[in-house]
Amino acid sequence: MRIRSMLRAKRPAAARLLGTITSVAFLAACQDADGTASSDRAVFSPTAPQSTASSGSTSILNGRATFAESFKVKRKTGDWEIDINAKDPVDVAVQTITFAPGAQSGWHSHPGPVFIQVVSGTMTFYESDDPACRGTVLTKGQGYLDTGEHAHMARNESGAEAKNVVTYFAPPGALLR
């Protein structure tokens, strides 16, 4: 596993507006198993992901800290190995998100990688670059890695509450979503 932090210049307002217009123009619907379109699972073009509104979830930011110096952490224990390398300063933030039955995050993206832990219930994750719109179903104790490269959505399609603990890696001060 490698995690790298790279600061990128902010896009000018005109480019953001063009991205929004492009995303709306490329809006396409995922299909349910019976072949009918499901407009609440719309997918944005991976080349210009934007956010859509969430519903039925509550979030608590547990903490956020800036690691101002570059760092390299490498650890090997037996056959297990991890390598984390940040060339630039990086913010690490942890958030707890609770999803009511039927709640969803809306389509969104992040400025860097996000580690999602399902700590209770069942969640389904959809990726905008999956033309078949197959969801990945995870239950308590399972994790999901969002690389931050394209839009995705999390949905609680079960009849019970679900809770995620989410760890973000982002440029200092960047919006997490």
Side-chain angles (χ1 to χ4, degrees):
M1 172 187 340
R2 284 196 165 266
I3 300 171
R4 295 185 185 268
S5 170
M6 296 173 37
L7 294 176
R8 295 187 178 146
K10 293 183 179 179
R11 293 188 305 173
R16 286 192 307 271
L17 178 59
L18 180 58
T20 302
I21 292 168
T22 303
S23 294
V24 172
F26 285 100
L27 192 63
C30 289
Q31 292 189 346
D32 289 329
D34 65 359
T36 60
S38 176
S39 61
D40 64 340
R41 291 195 302 185
V43 179
F44 285 126
S45 164
T47 59
Q50 301 294 321
S51 296
T52 60
S54 64
S55 67
S57 65
T58 57
S59 301
I60 298 171
L61 183 62
N62 303 96
R64 182 174 182 156
T66 300
F67 292 78
E69 302 294 323
S70 63
F71 60 84
K72 180 171 177 67
V73 178
K74 186 171 185 176
R75 179 75 191 262
K76 185 172 183 178
T77 304
D79 291 337
W80 181 83
E81 184 174 344
I82 189 166
D83 184 4
I84 302 172
N85 183 10
K87 292 182 178 181
D88 299 307
V90 62
D91 275 7
V92 178
V94 178
Q95 183 176 42
T96 302
I97 307 172
T98 303
F99 291 85
Q104 50 86 21
S105 67
W107 288 100
H108 64 282
S109 61
H110 305 282
V114 179
F115 290 79
I116 303 166
Q117 303 169 57
V118 179
V119 297
S120 68
T122 301
M123 293 295 299
T124 305
F125 298 89
Y126 294 93
E127 298 291 333
S128 66
D129 67 344
D130 178 5
C133 202
R134 293 175 297 259
T136 300
V137 178
L138 299 177
T139 59
K140 178 182 177 179
Q142 294 183 306
Y144 190 79
L145 173 61
D146 168 32
T147 60
E149 295 175 346
H150 54 267
H152 66 281
M153 178 175 61
R155 288 180 57 159
N156 179 355
E157 297 177 347
S158 75
E161 181 179 274
K163 189 176 291 188
N164 295 339
V165 174
V166 182
T167 303
Y168 303 87
F169 294 84
L175 293 175
L176 300 176
R177 173 183 159 140

